[in-house]
Amino acid sequence: KQEVTQIPAALSVPEGENLVLNCSFTDSAIYNLQWFRQDPGKGLTSLLLIQSSQREQTSGRLNASLDKSSGRSTLYIAASQPGDSATYLCAVRPYNFNKFYFGSGTKLNVKP
Amino acid sequence: SAVISQKPSRDICQRGTSLTIQCQVDSQVTMMFWYRQQPGQSLTLIATANQGSEATYESGFVIDKFPISRPNLTFSTLTVSNMSPEDSSIYLCSVQQGLNTEAFFGQGTRLTVV
């Protein structure tokens, strides 16, 4: 069974710092991996989708990488802002499974 | 991308009653899913909503407790039946066009059972 782990569980940084969030998964047989952000009490907003054949994806200040063989993905946030404060979730979709496996999230606080 | 409207956004319900949550998408989608997020936890898949047929439930979830309808490719409902305080969670609708495509989520329904 696929297990997804996110480290750290919480992170507090001053505004302007670059930061990295980590996601690891136990089974490398995946279709893709997707990063989301979730604001308190709200739904999920899609940030980046990386297909299994890709190494990275970029959107604005966000860059996500994927190393399928080692079962790891990172989300890099450049020049963090208070508006980036949220919980960040990664989710993997295994081959032959019609579902996502979610990590428990990293709660990010960016201090002004 | 898909725009998903989920209603209600929140509700406070008495135990023993039922609540039906609606998910409306602005375009036809192949796949629709319902997730639950218990307080402080990550997301757990309840079921896949199948158009015109019975939903496919994950282990631990049953149709009598969580009946789901999907009459067409843009709309689905999830009912939480005979509610107890343990059902207090955020319920989320998600859509995709295929297994290798981006997943989109509604804004969630925050349910509190008292």
Side-chain angles (χ1 to χ4, degrees):
Chain A
K1 179 189 171 185
Q2 180 76 262
E3 293 185 4
V4 182
T5 303
Q6 290 187 246
I7 295 173
L11 182 63
S12 183
V13 300
E15 181 176 4
E17 268 202 13
N18 303 324
L19 58 100
V20 175
L21 307 181
N22 297 292
C23 173
S24 61
F25 47 96
T26 54
D27 188 343
S28 62
I30 62 170
Y31 268 120
N32 52 51
L33 182 147
Q34 194 165 349
W35 283 93
F36 299 89
R37 72 171 277 168
Q38 184 176 31
D39 294 289
K42 302 294 186 181
L44 276 63
T45 300
S46 175
L47 297 174
L48 289 163
L49 171 70
I50 310 179
Q51 301 294 350
S52 62
S53 59
Q54 297 176 317
R55 296 285 293 182
E56 66 178 66
Q57 283 283 359
T58 298
S59 175
R61 294 182 293 108
L62 305 180
N63 176 278
S65 69
L66 175 64
D67 184 344
K68 201 174 65 166
S69 61
S70 67
R72 300 176 70 174
S73 176
T74 61
L75 179 67
Y76 175 82
I77 303 176
S80 58
Q81 304 170 357
D84 295 329
S85 298
T87 296
Y88 290 80
L89 295 160
C90 72
V92 299
R93 184 177 290 283
Y95 286 137
N96 299 323
F97 280 91
N98 193 17
K99 65 187 287 186
F100 271 122
Y101 286 86
F102 278 86
S104 54
T106 294
K107 187 173 184 178
L108 173 64
N109 178 37
V110 181
K111 299 172 288 186
Chain B
S1 65
V3 177
I4 303 169
S5 173
Q6 198 174 322
K7 295 179 180 180
S9 59
R10 59 174 58 215
D11 208 342
I12 301 174
C13 300
Q14 296 292 321
R15 67 176 68 200
T17 63
S18 298
L19 176 71
T20 296
I21 303 168
Q22 299 181 358
C23 178
Q24 177 75 54
V25 192
D26 68 339
S27 59
Q28 294 186 343
V29 292
T30 305
M31 306 164 75
M32 295 183 78
F33 305 92
W34 287 99
Y35 286 83
R36 180 175 74 180
Q37 187 177 31
Q38 295 178 299
Q41 304 294 316
S42 193
L43 279 73
T44 302
L45 180 65
I46 297 172
T48 302
N50 300 310
Q51 193 244 336
S53 64
E54 189 172 293
T56 304
Y57 290 85
E58 295 295 303
S59 175
F61 297 96
V62 296
I63 188 171
D64 290 346
K65 177 66 175 176
F66 298 102
I68 289 171
S69 77
R70 190 180 173 191
N72 56 51
L73 293 177
T74 64
F75 185 78
S76 178
T77 65
L78 167 73
T79 299
V80 186
S81 302
N82 188 24
M83 288 183 285
S84 67
E86 292 70 37
D87 294 320
S88 297
S89 297
I90 298 175
Y91 292 85
L92 297 125
C93 169
S94 175
V95 302
Q96 281 182 262
Q97 290 294 12
L99 289 177
N100 64 343
T101 63
E102 193 172 4
F104 298 98
F105 282 77
Q107 286 303 295
T109 295
R110 188 166 203 160
L111 171 62
T112 302
V113 183
V114 297

